[in-house]
Amino acid sequence: MTTRTGLTLRKDSASTVILEMCSVRVGQTLFGIPITHILEIVGGTIPQAVPLAPSFVGGLVHYRGDVLTTVSLRQLLGLPATSGKHDILVLESASGCFGLLVDSVGEVLTVNAADHEPNPSILDERRRTLFDGAYKLTEGLLIMLDPERLDPMRLGAAAA
Amino acid sequence: MDELTREFLIESQEGLDRMERCLTDLEERPQDTELLGEIFRSVHTIKGTTGFLGFKRLERLAHAGENLLGLLRDGKLSANQAIITGLLHLMDALRGILKTIETDNKEGEGEDAELIGRLHELQHPEAAVATMNAKAAAASSANAHTPAPPIVHQARSSVPAIPDPETAPAPVDVRGAVIDSKPPADAASESGKPKTITTAASDSTLRVDVILLNRMMNLVGELVLTRNQILQATSLDPNLTLLSRRLDMVTADLRESVMKARMQPVSNVFSKFPRIIRDLSQALHRKVRLVMEGQETELDKSLLEAIKDPLTHAVRNSLDHGIEPPDVRIAAGKDPEGTLKLRAYQESSHVIIEVSDDGAGIRVERVRAKAIERGLIAAERAAQLADRELLQLIFLPGFSTAEAVTNVSGRGVGMDVVRTNVEKIGGKVEIDSRAGKGTTLRLRIPLTLAIIPALIVRSLNQSFALPQGALSELVHIPPERASAAFEYMEGTPLYRLRGQLLPLIFLDRLLSPGAGSTSLASEARAERDNFIAVLDADGRRFGLVVDGLADPEEIVVKPLSSVLKSIGLYSGATVLGSGDLALILDPGSIASRAGVALRSNDEGHAEVSQEEEESDVMASRYLLVEASERRAAVPLGDVLRIERLPLSRIEYIGYRPVLNFDGQLLPVEDSGGVLAAAGGNPNAQVTVVVCREGTRHVGIAVSHVLDVAAGDELFEAGSQHRASGVTLLNDQVTGIVDLGAVPPLPLNPQITSPQLTDWTTETVA
């Protein structure tokens, strides 16, 4: 819960808005999640599989006395599943907490709000619903994820 | 002080605390209708209850305030400074009287006419404005002989959640402020009192948000899990053993305390029945006397909520169908006034709630006839059923349609609903009825929901938790028997359990429907051990086939997210002692998912009632044992438990073998010569079947326990006399062990009999 209180937004003299994003990697792609939505990062856990669960569910993890449903970003992107340990971002959405399974969590990047661009129209339907545009960084694109759209409740409703 | 008054005081003081907060807010937002509504409710509640308790002075005062507040709430008047001051004075006066009631149990004497008059005046705005000055003068004149304003100030700044901390140290002042006419001497004589009432009702209790309690329960659950893991991790380290044991104890105590905090006496639910019964008995023209016992028995709050409806249902049924109208009762030679008894008591980890009446009871033949008529049971099957089993039929859903109910002698309206509701919280319902004598419905409720005993099973290389409540027995199928044991009826797997077909569900197949073809799966199955967990869920009986069993564990139920709940097979998840997560299987939904029909037809009915009480059913079923290659039968109803123990545990008094069991002596009958045969070898294991015989317990040494089976009566050829001492078990004539023939121990007769019956009894069924 400590990360939530971190400084996330500040305006410098040139009135450019600086945002802090946590970078995560799935496959070759770099994704960003606003750190304001992240409760905690849990590393190196093996989630417990849930038979018959929708495919996007990455399993269950034990988190501070609760059993947390996780969403597998790999599954959502249609990438082959990997076994073994995962890093988990504990995210907060309107309907509660859930975990996001990613390959690895990277550093926190500061981005300039002006560098943001919405989803391009050629993006396929599925990705368009998941992504929230991208930031143009010098080293590449940081694809933004919106925790609200990754909420298992919402994904479940969309799948149904 | 009686309970009612105490509660009233706590409630009123909380109301006044709320009112105080609202009044101060009202000064800033005089038009806020919500605030006004809140204040109105506080005063209104006090007024309503005082009238009931007979506190006239309080009632008059509250009434005057309510009139004024009514106008404010309806917007006919807007709150101004004068009104708020008046209301604050009213509040202080009410507080003062409450204080007096708390100390003296009387509301004291005093003149409130002035305050009432002022409140009345404030109802007329123009007058109020005109007399504002006058009132200020009146207030100051009040100040002259009482320290009212400081108290108003004090009271206003008090912390609302803690009941009345400000007034407690200065009760005399408050009294003085309100009861002007009270002689000073009297007030002084009271000054010694506050010390003796340190645990005044409102100070010693605290209302706590249920959410907070739930959170605490969760955390305790977490601690239990951590403890389990610590215990496992430290079991090998002698240095940590002491510490971890201490942790174990503290955790257990803490868990108990938090559970206790969530407990409420059943009187909270029972208390509404006098009224219900009064109304119902008038409507139905019955005369009913209500007897309530064990109201102080406590139950978890959420469980208490959950049994409210089933219990109401049961009570209504008792009145509607159980207790007869007075004239019928007189004709039957009974007291025209029927008795309905509500009884609650705790029995180990369950709370039993009984609803019993001395009414007409359930006529079993009618149940039988109705069940056959409605196609719930085949006629020939029904003919074989014992009364006790027939009674269970009323819990079948099909049985309880409205029309069926009133025609059949009794209960039935939604008895399935009663059962479903109780089973939902892990409880059980039993019914006992004697025609003409009455009916007893017994609800068996677990003490808590959050922590349940469960059996951990393995399937798909994963652990799952099966609630013990639904589990009735376990069957082990070794690899070599697998192909023969599982039989298929057009692809539907079945198992013959004591001669009856039990539908099977393979957990792995259920959970991974796509994986492999059936033939492949069954080949793999033949190569390893299989276990059948025989489950009873919502009146359905089936076997769940799993790959392995782990230890039973007390698990803490964690809720699942709605996405996973909607799968419909899991009721929650839990963290095991090993630190792994396990999903909790929901036997009811598994049964419906796999299409297991309700246990209404033939199969499984012999197993309907497996309660430990002596019953006709049990008497005709036997535990088949083998002793030195001879078979013998022990009436199942008498069997308490089966112990497997080393021969060295058996000791001898003279030539009599006895078993010292927790300091209690048990004679062991060895007519089969099992002990003698095992003779010299102290490491040999013997099996002792512990039975009940009259008031004492006896043990029977056997080589093996073979089976449980229903015995048929045998008749002597020609004479048709019933043969005693033998029965036909699995088509073999088998001798019945005569427990009465086991000679008593050569002990003092006072010691032998009653204490032995205190044994914890576990049935084998």
Side-chain angles (χ1 to χ4, degrees):
Chain A
M1 311 252 171
T2 46
T3 46
R4 202 162 29 151
T5 54
L7 184 67
T8 59
L9 190 148
R10 61 172 186 260
K11 286 192 171 184
D12 62 17
S13 53
S15 91
T16 48
V17 182
I18 301 294
L19 301 165
E20 288 181 296
M21 301 296 169
C22 180
S23 66
V24 298
R25 207 168 268 284
V26 172
Q28 296 302 309
T29 323
L30 195 66
F31 293 94
I33 291 164
I35 68 167
T36 38
H37 287 81
I38 300 173
L39 289 182
E40 196 167 325
I41 295 166
V42 186
T45 44
I46 301 175
Q48 168 80 48
V50 182
L52 299 185
S55 62
F56 63 82
V57 173
L60 296 175
V61 288
H62 186 204
Y63 171 71
R64 295 193 180 210
D66 280 322
V67 171
L68 218 57
T69 304
T70 62
V71 171
S72 165
L73 196 49
R74 260 184 179 274
Q75 277 289 345
L76 280 179
L77 298 173
L79 296 172
T82 52
S83 57
K85 300 200 171 185
H86 291 268
D87 285 345
I88 291 166
L89 297 174
V90 181
L91 303 178
E92 198 178 26
S93 75
S95 59
C97 297
F98 65 95
L100 183 68
L101 281 187
V102 297
D103 289 0
S104 64
V105 176
E107 57 196 315
V108 173
L109 304 173
T110 47
V111 295
N112 193 331
D115 291 336
H116 184 261
E117 285 221 11
N119 287 335
S121 53
I122 53 161
L123 209 61
D124 70 54
E125 177 70 32
R126 176 150 66 154
R127 284 173 168 73
R128 202 158 50 217
T129 55
L130 293 175
F131 299 163
D132 185 22
Y135 283 95
K136 297 163 287 182
L137 307 180
T138 45
E139 55 271 46
L141 287 179
L142 181 71
I143 300 170
M144 290 310 296
L145 296 172
D146 179 0
E148 287 299 330
R149 302 192 201 180
L150 297 173
D151 186 326
M153 282 252 294
R154 213 166 130 166
L155 292 170
Chain B
M1 199 186 311
D2 60 354
E3 198 55 47
L4 211 57
T5 316
R6 201 186 308 273
E7 253 181 41
F8 160 66
L9 285 176
I10 297 174
E11 203 177 274
S12 306
Q13 253 148 29
E14 277 172 3
L16 289 177
D17 286 340
R18 252 196 325 271
M19 175 174 172
E20 193 176 314
R21 251 175 297 153
C22 294
L23 275 175
T24 39
D25 285 355
L26 196 64
E27 284 192 307
E28 285 157 36
R29 288 173 284 147
Q31 304 301 331
D32 194 331
T33 47
E34 251 183 65
L35 281 175
L36 284 164
E38 185 71 46
I39 300 170
F40 181 82
R41 272 195 299 279
S42 304
V43 176
H44 180 75
T45 310
I46 294 178
K47 192 197 99 171
T49 329
T50 46
F52 180 62
L53 288 170
F55 293 126
K56 289 278 176 281
R57 197 177 142 211
L58 213 47
E59 189 186 8
R60 273 198 301 276
L61 206 54
H63 183 70
E66 195 191 353
N67 284 344
L68 175 60
L69 283 164
L71 290 176
L72 285 168
R73 189 187 55 168
D74 299 342
K76 297 201 176 96
L77 205 61
S78 72
N80 57 28
Q81 195 57 43
I83 288 179
I84 291 173
T85 313
L87 288 173
L88 281 171
H89 281 169
L90 167 73
M91 196 183 72
D92 290 338
L94 292 173
R95 259 194 216 287
I97 300 176
L98 289 175
K99 200 80 214 170
T100 320
I101 293 173
E102 195 165 332
T103 48
D104 305 357
N105 210 2
K106 285 196 297 269
E107 51 183 347
E109 288 158 16
E111 198 39 70
D112 310 307
E114 194 198 330
L115 185 54
I116 292 174
R118 211 186 312 158
L119 290 170
H120 195 71
E121 237 172 74
L122 287 168
Q123 291 180 30
H124 310 286
E126 58 294 326
V129 174
T131 54
M132 235 180 119
N133 294 330
K135 230 173 294 79
S140 66
S141 79
N143 295 351
H145 54 105
T146 63
I151 287 171
V152 172
H153 176 72
Q154 264 187 343
R156 278 163 113 182
S157 63
S158 75
V159 185
I162 302 163
D164 216 3
E166 304 290 342
T167 47
V172 180
D173 288 357
V174 178
R175 287 162 54 83
V178 180
I179 311 156
D180 308 39
S181 62
K182 190 120 182 157
D186 197 348
S189 73
E190 300 287 323
S191 61
K193 271 200 170 177
K195 288 189 191 76
T196 61
I197 50 151
T198 41
T199 53
S202 54
D203 290 341
S204 64
T205 55
L206 195 63
R207 291 202 176 188
V208 181
D209 198 333
V210 179
I211 295 171
L212 178 64
L213 283 175
N214 287 345
R215 172 103 186 104
M216 279 165 74
M217 196 67 204
N218 271 342
L219 289 173
V220 167
E222 194 57 17
L223 189 62
V224 168
L225 295 172
T226 316
R227 175 205 59 183
N228 290 353
Q229 291 174 26
I230 294 246
L231 288 182
Q232 280 197 358
T234 61
S235 57
L236 295 175
D237 188 341
N239 296 322
L240 288 174
T241 316
L242 222 64
L243 267 179
S244 59
R245 232 178 252 160
R246 171 113 191 95
L247 175 71
D248 188 19
M249 265 169 52
V250 173
T251 311
D253 280 359
L254 181 64
R255 191 187 116 181
E256 205 165 298
S257 311
V258 174
M259 262 166 72
K260 247 207 152 81
R262 292 172 53 92
M263 296 288 199
Q264 286 191 314
V266 291
S267 57
N268 283 13
V269 170
F270 277 16
S271 59
K272 66 172 190 163
F273 286 117
R275 172 73 197 277
I276 290 178
I277 284 170
R278 191 186 145 273
D279 290 356
L280 265 181
S281 55
Q282 273 175 9
L284 297 165
H285 308 291
R286 304 281 204 278
K287 280 174 114 176
V288 182
R289 190 163 60 94
L290 176 66
V291 180
M292 296 197 279
E293 266 178 36
Q295 297 195 58
E296 69 288 343
T297 314
E298 291 186 322
L299 202 58
D300 189 285
K301 186 181 164 62
S302 54
L303 294 177
L304 214 53
E305 283 299 311
I307 59 161
K308 216 180 241 177
D309 285 346
L311 213 54
T312 312
H313 223 108
V315 166
R316 282 172 166 275
N317 263 336
S318 261
L319 247 71
D320 196 2
H321 309 297
I323 293 171
E324 317 90 325
D327 48 325
V328 178
R329 291 183 66 91
I330 293 169
K334 290 189 194 174
D335 184 345
E337 191 182 46
T339 306
L340 182 80
K341 197 160 143 190
L342 286 172
R343 179 162 170 252
Y345 58 97
Q346 195 178 336
E347 200 182 270
S348 67
S349 61
H350 284 82
V351 165
I352 317 282
I353 297 180
E354 274 181 7
V355 182
S356 50
D357 62 60
D358 63 347
I362 300 173
R363 269 173 296 163
V364 188
E365 317 83 67
R366 298 291 298 272
V367 176
R368 197 195 310 260
K370 205 75 208 176
I372 295 170
E373 183 193 312
R374 302 194 72 83
L376 295 168
I377 188 167
E380 57 272 30
R381 179 70 203 160
Q384 294 167 12
L385 286 180
D387 289 0
R388 203 185 151 80
E389 292 172 286
L390 279 168
L391 277 181
Q392 308 298 323
L393 294 178
I394 67 165
F395 289 117
L396 293 177
F399 203 82
S400 49
T401 63
E403 169 238 33
V405 174
T406 28
N407 292 347
V408 182
S409 63
R411 327 288 159 106
V413 196
M415 283 314 257
D416 67 313
V417 178
V418 172
R419 182 168 79 170
T420 315
N421 279 343
V422 173
E423 281 184 352
K424 217 180 267 167
I425 54 170
K428 275 188 174 166
V429 186
E430 293 154 24
I431 194 159
D432 238 338
S433 183
R434 284 188 190 176
K437 291 274 167 52
T439 307
T440 299
L441 191 75
R442 213 168 285 123
L443 312 185
R444 196 178 280 265
I445 317 288
L447 275 181
T448 177
L449 257 191
I451 299 175
I452 58 165
L455 180 77
I456 311 301
V457 300
R458 306 268 314 164
S459 188
L460 299 172
N461 290 321
Q462 211 172 318
S463 296
F464 295 91
L466 257 183
Q468 291 270 23
L471 188 66
S472 71
E473 62 186 299
L474 289 165
V475 182
H476 175 214
I477 311 285
E480 65 274 13
R481 272 188 53 212
S483 49
F486 299 126
E487 296 178 87
Y488 292 86
M489 187 184 277
E490 283 290 309
T492 306
L494 298 165
Y495 176 73
R496 278 188 228 192
L497 181 70
R498 289 191 285 280
Q500 292 188 327
L501 289 177
L502 180 76
L504 291 181
I505 298 169
F506 291 100
L507 187 57
D508 49 358
R509 213 180 290 169
L510 180 75
L511 295 182
S512 56
S517 69
T518 314
S519 62
L520 246 165
S522 60
E523 263 170 42
R525 190 157 283 118
E527 286 162 18
R528 53 152 204 263
D529 285 312
N530 282 283
F531 296 88
I532 303 175
V534 182
L535 301 173
D536 273 309
D538 305 339
R540 284 175 282 214
R541 187 175 172 84
F542 65 98
L544 189 68
V545 184
V546 298
D547 305 349
L549 301 178
D551 287 336
E553 227 175 277
E554 293 228 307
I555 59 167
V556 181
V557 181
K558 307 275 184 196
L560 284 177
S561 63
S562 57
V563 176
L564 300 184
K565 225 180 276 166
S566 63
I567 299 173
L569 294 177
Y570 315 115
S571 56
T574 189
V575 185
L576 301 177
S578 58
D580 290 342
L581 285 174
L583 290 156
I584 303 167
L585 296 171
D586 178 355
S589 352
I590 290 179
S592 13
R593 166 75 66 108
V596 177
L598 283 166
R599 186 182 55 199
S600 52
N601 291 323
D602 292 356
E603 86 262 332
H605 247 302
E607 275 89 25
V608 169
S609 60
Q610 288 170 327
E611 282 313 313
E612 50 261 62
E613 285 102 0
E614 306 94 315
S615 71
D616 305 344
V617 199
M618 299 301 269
S620 61
R621 301 181 66 218
Y622 296 92
L623 184 73
L624 188 59
V625 297
E626 190 184 59
S628 302
E629 324 229 317
R630 278 195 298 140
R631 286 151 54 96
V634 183
L636 194 58
D638 293 334
V639 176
L640 295 175
R641 54 200 288 152
I642 298 170
E643 290 281 344
R644 181 123 180 105
L645 34 88
L647 192 64
S648 54
R649 285 279 308 277
I650 307 276
E651 292 167 278
Y652 290 85
I653 299 181
Y655 64 95
R656 295 284 312 277
V658 292
L659 184 61
N660 176 354
F661 205 91
D662 289 343
Q664 310 212 40
L665 269 188
L666 180 79
V668 178
E669 174 63 23
D670 187 31
S671 47
V674 176
L675 298 178
N681 183 6
N683 296 324
Q685 294 272 321
V686 288
T687 304
V688 175
V689 181
V690 180
C691 305
R692 172 168 40 200
E693 199 277 311
T695 56
R696 65 183 183 136
H697 293 185
V698 297
I700 295 161
V702 299
S703 321
H704 303 287
V705 172
L706 297 172
D707 199 358
V708 173
D712 286 330
E713 285 172 354
L714 288 170
F715 297 94
E716 192 185 20
S719 72
Q720 291 302 310
H721 285 305
R722 185 184 295 177
S724 65
V726 291
T727 183
L728 192 67
L729 272 189
N730 295 354
D731 295 329
Q732 289 192 6
V733 176
T734 312
I736 300 171
V737 176
D738 183 4
L739 297 169
V742 178
L745 285 173
L747 299 171
N748 193 336
Q750 288 130 298
I751 303 170
T752 45
S753 41
Q755 282 107 326
L756 285 174
T757 52
D758 289 342
W759 276 21
T760 37
T761 58
E762 281 170 29
T763 47
V764 291

